[in-house]
Amino acid sequence: MGNKVLIISNANELVRVKPERVVYVLSDGNYSTMVLHDKSEHVFTMNLAHCQQLIEDQLGKEAETFIRIGKQLIINREYIFKINVNKQTLIMADMALHHAFMLTASKEALRQLKTYMESRTGKEVNYEG
């Protein structure tokens, strides 16, 4: 993802994190919880729309890696491991499967995500070794 760093700040805290370490952001009203690949969590007093705007403003084109799912969730598509529409589950994991996160979302949101991911199949080439 390059050398960009995502900076999220509020009255009492500032967090600098590489975007590729963010697995997802889950919102509960005016609070958003950013969950990183090592399962650490950072809670901010901001709604999901504000968090989404910060990501887009700071990352520019790289913000495309993050996908908003419904009203409560922004995910890093690089961590999508399994989408099960019928069970309404989304499993996020790094490809080494050191950590896995099970999330829930509506069938419609997951159906749209599945269609989106299928449309991208074969279009990405990753040269990282």
Side-chain angles (χ1 to χ4, degrees), residues 17-121:
V17 63
K18 290 183 177 270
E20 60 268 20
R21 293 189 175 160
V22 178
V23 179
Y24 65 93
V25 180
L26 181 65
S27 175
D28 182 13
N30 288 327
Y31 294 91
S32 293
T33 303
M34 177 185 291
V35 180
L36 305 182
H37 71 296
D38 62 0
K39 295 197 173 186
S40 63
E41 297 182 359
H42 303 279
V43 179
F44 300 97
T45 311
M46 67 178 71
N47 63 27
L48 200 61
H50 187 214
C51 195
Q52 183 178 13
Q53 191 62 52
L54 277 175
I55 290 170
E56 290 170 1
D57 290 348
Q58 292 183 31
L59 300 183
K61 183 139 177 69
E62 291 179 18
E64 292 175 6
T65 301
F66 293 91
I67 304 169
R68 181 156 179 180
I69 309 267
K71 296 177 181 169
Q72 295 182 306
L73 194 58
I74 296 173
I75 62 167
N76 182 336
R77 67 184 164 100
E78 298 298 320
Y79 285 90
I80 295 171
F81 178 71
K82 184 177 182 181
I83 300 168
N84 188 317
V85 175
N86 288 335
K87 292 183 180 177
Q88 293 181 257
T89 58
L90 173 63
I91 297 176
M92 307 288 288
D94 61 10
M95 290 304 144
L97 295 179
H98 295 295
H99 297 293
F101 306 84
M102 185 181 293
L103 305 172
T104 57
S106 71
K107 284 184 180 182
E108 184 54 34
L110 291 175
R111 193 173 290 115
Q112 289 175 9
L113 178 62
K114 183 177 176 287
T115 301
Y116 169 78
M117 292 304 291
E118 287 169 343
S119 73
R120 296 191 58 82
T121 301

